[in-house]
């Protein structure tokens, strides 16, 4: 289990004050909660995002920016960010009037659901990996997890990017960086790191990128099939009869 390896070699389980056994049980249960039937949004995707977040957090220029709680929050958010994903988009769930869209009032439907499933899993006996934290730390960890996972909603991509750009430009004007000094700016950077990792497949080596593109394209096409069968409008990029996969990938790279 990649998550277990990263958390134990980094001694993050000691910060959490949990045993290796509990950590392994939690990550095993979490992996089981990802659908292996999804071509893209499955446990392998979660592991890929986790590995990429781990890489970003170990970039030398970020080495002294974050405290251990923030590092653990980013890594943990990566593991839970798509748990119990149905292989469908938020817009599909809203358009089809699904129960999840009703529960979350059409707002970041999947992201709220991933958080709910993860926190519910932690309530099971022997699986609460936050149990050893002091109450103040636990609340801070929960808030970080909520903010980071909600920020993976592609609907907030451009607003998140604009906020990050404004913050970094303001920092450059003052010849410094605000990230080590302000909690809200470090929180913004954590959101950017996990969100960037989540959509980083086009930046991976070409042979790796091609595999992920094929997976996400097939998942999109499966949704398009469901939309056609349900009498709904087929979403952009999801009609297997008209979409050119290569052009759609180039469009994603150029636009996003």
């Amino acid at each position: 289990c990649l998550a277990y390896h990263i958390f134990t070699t980094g001694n993050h389980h000691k910060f959490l004050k949990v045993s290796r056994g509990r950590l392994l049980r939690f990550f095993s249960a979490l992996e089981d909660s990802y659908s292996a039937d999804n071509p893209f949004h499955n446990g392998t995707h979660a592991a890929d995002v986790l590995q990429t977040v781990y890489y970003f957090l170990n970039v030398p220029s970020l080495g002294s920016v974050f405290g251990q709680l923030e590092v653990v929050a980013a890594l943990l958010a990566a593991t839970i960010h798509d748990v119990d994903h149905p292989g469908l988009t938020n817009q599909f769930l809203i358009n089809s009037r699904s129960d999840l869209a009703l529960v979350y009032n059409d707002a970041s439907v999947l992201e709220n659901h991933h958080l709910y499933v993860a926190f519910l899993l932690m309530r099971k006996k022997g699986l609460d990996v936050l149990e050893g934290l002091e109450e103040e730390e636990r609340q801070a960890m929960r808030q970080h997890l909520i903010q980071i996972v909600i920020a993976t909603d592609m609907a907030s991509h451009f607003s998140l990017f604009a906020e990050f750009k404004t913050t970094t430009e303001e920092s450059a004007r003052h010849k410094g960086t605000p990230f080590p000094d302000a909690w809200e700016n470090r929180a913004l950077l954590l959101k950017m790191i996990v969100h960037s990792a989540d959509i980083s497949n086009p930046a991976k080596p070409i042979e790796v990128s091609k595999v992920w593109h094929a997976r996400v394209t097939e998942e999109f096409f499966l949704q398009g099939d469901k939309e056609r069968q349900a009498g709904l409008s087929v979403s952009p990029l999801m009609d297997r009869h008209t979409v050119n996969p290569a052009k759609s990938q180039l469009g994603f790279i150029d636009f996003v």
Side-chain angles (χ1 to χ4, degrees), residues 154-216:
M154 282 301 297
S156 64
H157 170 78
F158 292 105
S159 61
L160 180 65
F161 179 78
E163 183 183 1
F164 182 75
K165 184 179 179 182
T166 298
T167 302
T168 52
E169 288 175 348
E170 183 68 19
S171 169
R173 281 195 292 271
H174 290 85
K175 297 182 180 180
T177 174
F179 293 120
D181 303 317
W183 181 91
E184 63 272 17
N185 289 326
R186 294 199 309 276
L188 171 62
L189 185 53
L190 288 176
K191 289 189 286 186
M192 279 296 299
I193 286 172
V194 177
H195 176 55
S196 297
D198 193 23
I199 59 174
S200 68
N201 295 142
K204 301 289 174 67
I206 186 64
E207 293 306 318
V208 175
S209 181
K210 285 166 63 177
V211 171
W212 283 116
H213 178 240
R215 286 173 176 245
V216 74

Side-chain angles (χ1 to χ4, degrees), residues 1-14 20 23 54 68 75:
C1 177
L2 178 64
Y4 177 79
H5 175 75
I6 287 176
F7 271 72
T8 53
T9 57
N11 287 321
H12 300 313
H13 65 297
K14 293 182 179 178
R20 290 170 178 258
L23 197 67
Y54 177 79
Q68 191 167 12
L75 294 171

Side-chain angles (χ1 to χ4, degrees), residues 55-65:
Y55 169 81
F56 284 148
L57 291 173
N58 283 278
V59 171
S61 60
L62 293 179
S64 60
V65 170

